[in-house]
Amino acid sequence: MTAIVTAEGLRKSFARRGAPPTPVLDGLDLEVDEGTVLALLGPNGAGKTTTVRILSTLLRPDAGRATVAGLDVVADARRVRELISLTGQQVAVDDKLTGAENLAMMGHLAHLPRRAIRDRVEELLAAFDLTAAAGRRVGTWSGGMRRRLDLAAGLLTRPRVMYLDEPTTGLDPRSRQALWDVVRDVVAGGTSVLLTTQYLEEADRLAQRVALVDGGRVVAEGAPARLKREVGEAGVELDLASAADAARVARALGPVSVDGTRVRVPTDGSVAHVRSVLTTVEDTGVVPEHWAVRAPTLDDVFLALTGESGAAERPARAEVAA
Amino acid sequence: MTAVLRDVTTLSVRGLRLVRRDLDAMITAVVLPVVILLLFVLVFGGALDTGTGYITYVTPGVILLAAGFGAANTALAVERDMSGGMVERLRSMPVAAWTVLTGHVVASLVKNLVSTAIVFGVSILMGFRPEATALEWLAAVGVILLFVGWITWLAALVGVLVRSPDAAGGFTFGVMFLPYVSSAFVPVETLPTWLRGFAEHQPVTPVIETVRALLAGGTVPGDVVALALAWCLGLGVASAVAAGLAFRACR
């Protein structure tokens, strides 16, 4: 597969008044394969937005190089702009214009042939389920609808690459779901997507590859499933009524980890193994308040790999050895 | 070049729509100038002796004052574009992004043209009898628009530079004072000496004198016209260039 977006060793510092420049990007590398979604996942201040701003020609890197379809984002900025669309963290539509007016305006600014604009606008309004509201001012729309319009505004030209900077921040679950569907459709239409998010679920659901960003560099990269495997195996988690109960269950089960009233038993997730664990627990006579089989989530990956700040937030775990 | 023209047209249409649908801007453009006119003529006018009928004296001043109020709306609109996502989006497109400023300026010129027509209309109803020929009318409106153009580019510059809507709004305060300390509402000779120096050497006074003379249909002193044009064009070009540069630097 060929890479449509590449970044090599991107560095960027921002000057602060009365302080030395703060490095935001510290040698960031990434590649977006053509026709796929890459999610940049990281905490606030990791450098996600700065990366997107460089890749969309809004910002020059201090060092390093980035290309879109082989074109340098600094030297060939104008041509790059014809290939990309950016949907930033803030919704960039005019509240006082109607949905249709907003899209038509973007069509003119994208220099589409005048006659083509009307059809394209109607097509996009229909695709984003906004036809009914198209004649109303956007100021009266819901947050989810405004976000969808914002995305549609970026798609008038059928861009090769679409950048989405935290597109679902502040949306309710239903709107988030609708937006994910839209992104999938966009990708099915041949557009490559670079998405930043703080939501692990979002990266997991949408992206073929995830790049974990922390401190201005990519600390882990790969398919969501592979990243999760790296962090560890699944476990049966049992919540007991008291620490004494937890100790009793732990003694019966053998090598397990105990954290207060919670007992975690590593498992391969097979029916046979889970059943044997539960039988052992039942034989102790202790009734757990709650139990579940829990596979590692991207949250675990996130906490395991994003350095000190992540580690500090992890609950301490006491190891009980048999 | 044709692409730039198309961008300017698109964004001017946008600017006009935003103004027309902004209740605040419309009140500032349509209601406020009339209220000010009535206030000056009916409340202050009786006590002021300017040699001619006060309505004849004060009408050009009210128009310039209204332009100052209206400019605050432009500063706000530009600030909104800068801090909202619009400018970011335009910059990631093959668009000359500074044309978004031009769009707001064109909208402001059209808006002030409407305000000007309304003020003249009400003023004529109240007894203002300009003796200008059609050509002098055109010239007067042209000078007014030059003034509006300068103030609006200055407002656009303020909109680019400030970091909050409040700061953009504060701009009104500054430009509001210029017409007060000029010959717009009272003859400069009636001001205390230390203020007179300022009033005689600021842009509003020659602009007012030019418009007043054109409308009265008398001869217009050439040096006053030259001064008015020099102020408006000089400050206008300087403000536009500064706004453009500040816009490019904000990245």
Side-chain angles (χ1 to χ4, degrees):
Chain A
M1 219 181 280
T2 53
I4 182 122
V5 180
T6 68
E8 283 168 39
L10 291 185
R11 286 177 194 281
K12 184 76 191 175
S13 302
F14 290 110
R16 291 248 178 85
R17 197 175 298 171
T22 334
V24 174
L25 294 185
D26 183 23
L28 183 133
D29 305 308
L30 65 77
E31 280 190 3
V32 183
D33 289 328
E34 179 133 38
T36 69
V37 179
L38 173 76
L40 280 188
L41 183 64
N44 287 329
K48 303 187 298 287
T49 297
T50 305
T51 305
V52 166
R53 287 171 57 89
I54 290 174
L55 294 177
S56 55
T57 78
L58 297 181
L59 208 62
R60 286 161 174 261
D62 296 340
R65 199 178 116 80
T67 64
V68 174
L71 299 167
D72 189 281
V73 295
V74 177
D76 296 314
R78 267 201 88 83
R79 287 167 68 198
V80 168
R81 287 177 194 143
E82 286 169 7
L83 303 175
I84 63 170
S85 94
L86 166 68
T87 303
Q89 282 182 27
Q90 284 169 301
V91 174
V93 294
D94 283 323
D95 283 351
K96 292 203 172 71
L97 303 189
T98 68
E101 284 169 345
N102 264 295
L103 289 186
M105 176 178 86
M106 284 300 162
H108 283 290
L109 291 174
H111 304 148
L112 292 182
R114 277 163 220 275
R115 277 165 301 153
I117 289 176
R118 218 193 145 100
D119 290 344
R120 183 71 182 138
V121 166
E122 272 172 24
E123 195 180 319
L124 282 168
L125 286 169
F128 285 71
D129 199 16
L130 295 169
T131 306
R136 291 208 329 257
R137 289 188 196 180
V138 173
T140 65
W141 291 16
S142 73
M145 290 164 72
R146 288 154 53 88
R147 252 301 171 202
R148 294 212 297 280
L149 182 70
D150 198 32
L151 277 188
L155 288 170
L156 280 148
T157 53
R158 304 172 205 273
R160 295 272 305 273
V161 178
M162 190 169 198
Y163 300 110
L164 302 174
D165 195 5
E166 302 199 358
T168 62
T169 299
L171 291 190
D172 62 58
R174 182 190 292 264
S175 303
R176 179 168 299 166
Q177 189 71 51
L179 199 123
W180 287 346
D181 289 341
V182 165
V183 173
R184 287 191 193 104
D185 286 348
V186 168
V187 175
T191 297
S192 313
V193 173
L194 176 75
L195 163 101
T196 78
T197 183
Q198 300 188 42
Y199 300 116
L200 305 137
E201 191 196 355
E202 189 160 284
D204 205 3
R205 299 280 283 273
L206 279 180
Q208 280 76 40
R209 298 178 78 77
V210 176
L212 225 66
V213 186
D214 193 39
R217 44 196 313 155
V218 173
V219 293
E221 203 264 338
R226 215 204 80 210
L227 286 180
K228 282 187 273 186
R229 265 202 310 280
E230 258 177 32
V231 181
E233 33 186 4
V236 179
E237 285 187 357
L238 302 138
D239 289 319
L240 290 312
S242 68
D245 280 355
R248 239 173 97 194
V249 169
R251 263 197 308 280
L253 283 168
V256 297
S257 65
V258 180
D259 176 19
T261 59
R262 172 172 290 183
V263 176
R264 188 173 198 276
V265 192
T267 177
D268 58 6
S270 68
V271 172
H273 184 252
V274 173
R275 187 201 294 130
S276 83
V277 169
L278 295 178
T279 307
T280 310
V281 173
E282 198 172 25
D283 289 346
T284 63
V286 177
V287 181
E289 295 193 322
H290 175 259
W291 71 272
V293 178
R294 190 167 168 265
T297 63
L298 276 175
D299 275 306
D300 299 316
V301 181
F302 197 74
L303 292 173
L305 294 174
T306 55
E308 295 298 306
S309 54
E313 285 161 21
R314 292 178 81 175
R317 297 216 166 183
E319 289 295 324
V320 173
Chain B
M1 191 58 216
T2 50
V4 171
L5 266 181
R6 190 174 174 193
D7 295 344
V8 169
T9 312
T10 306
L11 290 166
S12 299
V13 170
R14 167 185 184 250
L16 279 170
R17 279 185 176 147
L18 292 183
V19 164
R20 208 177 61 219
R21 296 175 193 180
D22 182 352
L23 187 63
D24 237 31
M26 284 317 283
I27 289 176
T28 311
V30 176
V31 181
L32 195 63
V34 174
V35 171
I36 293 171
L37 181 72
L38 295 178
L39 186 74
F40 271 97
V41 173
L42 301 179
V43 180
F44 303 141
L48 292 165
D49 180 15
T50 54
T52 59
Y54 190 60
I55 190 147
T56 305
Y57 188 84
V58 83
T59 299
V62 171
I63 288 167
L64 296 204
L65 191 63
F69 284 124
N73 290 116
T74 303
L76 272 173
V78 170
E79 194 279 333
R80 208 175 292 136
D81 279 355
M82 299 295 293
S83 62
M86 190 53 77
V87 166
E88 290 271 274
R89 163 158 278 158
L90 293 181
R91 278 188 166 138
S92 73
M93 296 172 72
V95 169
W98 56 266
T99 52
V100 75
L101 300 181
T102 315
H104 287 300
V105 172
V106 170
S108 162
L109 288 172
V110 173
K111 180 180 72 177
N112 276 286
L113 210 54
V114 173
S115 308
T116 304
I118 290 172
V119 171
F120 275 133
V122 173
S123 174
I124 286 168
L125 283 178
M126 292 174 69
F128 177 39
R129 291 289 172 268
E131 318 231 326
T133 63
L135 211 62
E136 284 162 346
W137 265 109
L138 266 181
V141 171
V143 172
I144 288 170
L145 284 186
L146 271 181
F147 178 82
V148 170
W150 161 52
I151 288 280
T152 310
W153 272 115
L154 184 65
L157 171 65
V158 169
V160 171
L161 291 179
V162 297
R163 290 277 170 274
S164 76
D166 289 343
F171 166 74
T172 335
F173 248 62
V175 291
M176 224 176 63
F177 276 102
L178 281 185
Y180 286 121
V181 190
S182 78
S183 64
F185 303 112
V186 292
V188 173
E189 302 80 62
T190 62
L191 295 172
T193 334
W194 58 276
L195 259 185
R196 202 181 302 164
F198 175 76
E200 281 170 351
H201 297 99
Q202 63 122 318
V204 175
T205 300
V207 171
I208 289 280
E209 294 303 328
T210 303
V211 172
R212 205 172 268 150
L214 282 167
L215 293 179
T219 49
V220 189
D223 56 334
V224 175
V225 178
L227 200 57
L229 294 183
W231 270 119
C232 289
L233 286 173
L235 291 171
V237 169
S239 301
V241 169
L245 289 177
F247 186 86
R248 280 181 62 176
C250 280
R251 48 166 50 200

